[in-house]
Amino acid sequence: MKKIISTDKAPAAIGPYSQAIEVNGMVFTSGVIPVDPATGVIPEGIEAQAKQAIGNLAALLEAAGTGTEKVIKTTVFIKEMDDFALVNRIYAEYFTGDFPARSCVEVARLPKDVLIEIEAIAEK
């Protein structure tokens, strides 16, 4: 049985998808972008956007009854691979201890022309 996860503490879906789905004790998030869920504002620059996106992901995981410490796998999409080291530094502020598995890929374009998007799989 799947359960739809939705929260106003993370950006609303901008298409026909759910923010996250829980099934069999696992949470699968959609890609989360750096939109301030309260204002709709996208911060300037990769550092601010990485903090906003990962913070939004953490809020979504919390709404699902889990947290960053329970994340098994993330996928990070970035506009510029030159930002990899900075994104790593910010990522390490949210994911500590036993790090999840991760993929990080450079992409040509992301929704709303943001610089980063992140998705996760977590256990409940």
Side-chain angles (χ1 to χ4, degrees):
M1 187 83 175
K2 72 179 181 180
K3 177 182 174 186
I4 305 298
I5 307 298
S6 181
T7 180
D8 60 2
K9 295 185 183 335
I14 56 175
Y17 59 90
S18 299
Q19 287 175 303
I21 302 282
E22 178 188 340
V23 65
N24 297 330
M26 301 293 293
V27 175
F28 300 83
T29 75
S30 291
V32 180
I33 60 175
V35 174
D36 183 317
T39 66
V41 172
I42 298 169
E44 294 282 330
I46 187 61
E47 184 170 5
Q49 286 195 21
K51 288 178 182 179
Q52 184 71 56
I54 299 170
N56 289 345
L57 177 67
L60 180 55
L61 292 168
E62 183 179 324
T66 188
T68 55
E69 72 284 352
K70 298 274 194 160
V71 171
I72 296 165
K73 169 81 166 76
T74 63
T75 305
V76 180
F77 306 92
I78 56 177
K79 178 93 163 112
E80 297 287 337
M81 195 54 75
D82 290 343
D83 294 330
F84 184 77
L86 180 58
V87 170
N88 268 346
R89 183 178 59 74
I90 294 162
Y91 183 95
E93 294 173 13
Y94 292 85
F95 296 95
T96 59
D98 295 330
F99 295 114
R102 183 184 79 183
S103 299
C104 183
V105 295
E106 180 181 78
V107 296
R109 194 166 181 204
L110 290 164
K112 297 189 178 257
D113 290 317
V114 299
L115 304 174
I116 184 171
E117 180 174 357
I118 184 169
E119 64 184 25
I121 300 169
E123 61 183 347
K124 193 78 187 255

